[in-house]
Amino acid sequence: MPGFSCHPGGLIPRSDPERAAWETAVWLDPLRAVAIIDSLLGQGLTDRGALAAMADHNADRPGGRRARWLFDLADGGAQSPPESHLRVRLILGGLPRPVVQHPIRLPTGVVLHPDLAWPEYRVAVEYDGQWHSDADQLHRDRRRLNLLVGAGWLVLHVTSRRLHGEFPAVLREVRAALASRGWRR
C-alpha cells in the first residue's frame, strides 16, 4: 500500500521527505527545522522545486507562510546542524545571506570552501566544532586560514561555545567585518 509501511502492530503511515520537511517547518523551532531541511536537501532526499511545490500546495493551511519562509532559508550545502544554526542566526540578525561552501580558487589552483562566505566582501566564517581541537585538524585549519588570509579574505572562526553562549558578540564581529569591507545595511 503506498504511503504505508508494515509494522508488527499493523500498517502505520509513512512520510515522504517533502511531507517531513513540511511538518518540521510547521512544528519545530526555526533553527532546528532549517537544520533538518538542510540535511534533507544535502542528502538529495528532496530539492528546492519539490519544497516549493509542497509550500504552494499547502499555502492556505495553518503554518503555510512559516513553512515557505523556512524552506527559503534552507541550504543543502550546510555540512552540519551547527553550521545551519549559525547561518540562520546571522541572517535573522540582519546580515546578508552568506553563500554556503563557496569555492575560492587560489592562484596555486587549490580550491577552498569556507563554511559561510560573502564573496563580494571577501569575508568568510568558519564553524569550529569539537573535532577541530584535534592536533591534526588544527594544523589543517590553520593552513587553510593562512591560505585564505593570503588571498585577501577576512576569516572569522566561531566555536560551539560562542555560537550558543556569546552569539550577540559573534553577530557584532561578523557585522563589523562585513562593514570593514564595504557592506552597508
Side-chain angles (χ1 to χ4, degrees):
M1 215 178 224
F4 288 85
S5 62
C6 289
H7 182 269
L11 297 177
I12 58 171
R14 183 176 61 201
S15 183
D16 57 49
E18 292 76 28
R19 169 86 31 218
W22 169 265
E23 295 293 333
T24 296
V26 170
W27 294 106
L28 295 183
D29 74 82
L31 293 179
R32 287 188 62 213
V34 170
I36 291 168
I37 299 164
D38 282 357
S39 180
L40 290 169
L41 289 166
Q43 294 176 55
L45 297 173
T46 191
D47 59 43
R48 290 200 161 281
L51 293 179
M54 176 63 76
D56 289 344
H57 179 73
N58 292 294
D60 295 330
R61 289 183 59 199
R65 285 195 318 222
R66 182 176 203 256
R68 182 176 301 282
W69 171 59
L70 294 178
F71 290 170
D72 289 343
L73 282 174
D75 191 308
Q79 295 186 334
S80 70
E83 284 180 25
S84 298
H85 297 168
L86 176 59
R87 182 185 80 249
V88 172
R89 289 184 77 182
L90 291 171
I91 294 167
L92 295 179
L95 298 183
R97 185 178 182 139
V99 178
V100 176
Q101 302 299 319
H102 175 70
I104 300 171
R105 182 172 298 281
L106 303 177
T108 60
V110 171
V111 179
L112 301 175
H113 299 85
D115 297 329
L116 304 174
W118 292 266
E120 62 274 29
Y121 305 109
R122 297 176 74 86
V123 172
V125 172
E126 295 276 40
Y127 176 76
D128 294 337
Q130 289 181 327
W131 60 92
H132 290 270
S133 63
D134 171 75
D136 290 335
Q137 185 61 48
L138 181 63
H139 170 77
R140 288 188 294 274
D141 288 346
R142 292 304 169 255
R143 183 174 176 272
R144 280 173 44 88
L145 174 62
N146 292 344
L147 291 170
L148 287 167
V149 169
W153 282 75
L154 196 158
V155 182
L156 295 106
H157 287 262
V158 178
T159 62
S160 175
R161 182 183 300 173
R162 296 206 70 222
L163 174 60
H164 298 292
E166 301 174 11
F167 186 75
V170 169
L171 182 60
R172 283 192 304 273
E173 292 164 9
V174 177
R175 181 177 283 121
L178 288 167
S180 78
R181 295 295 184 95
W183 175 67
R184 298 292 173 250
R185 232 171 172 219

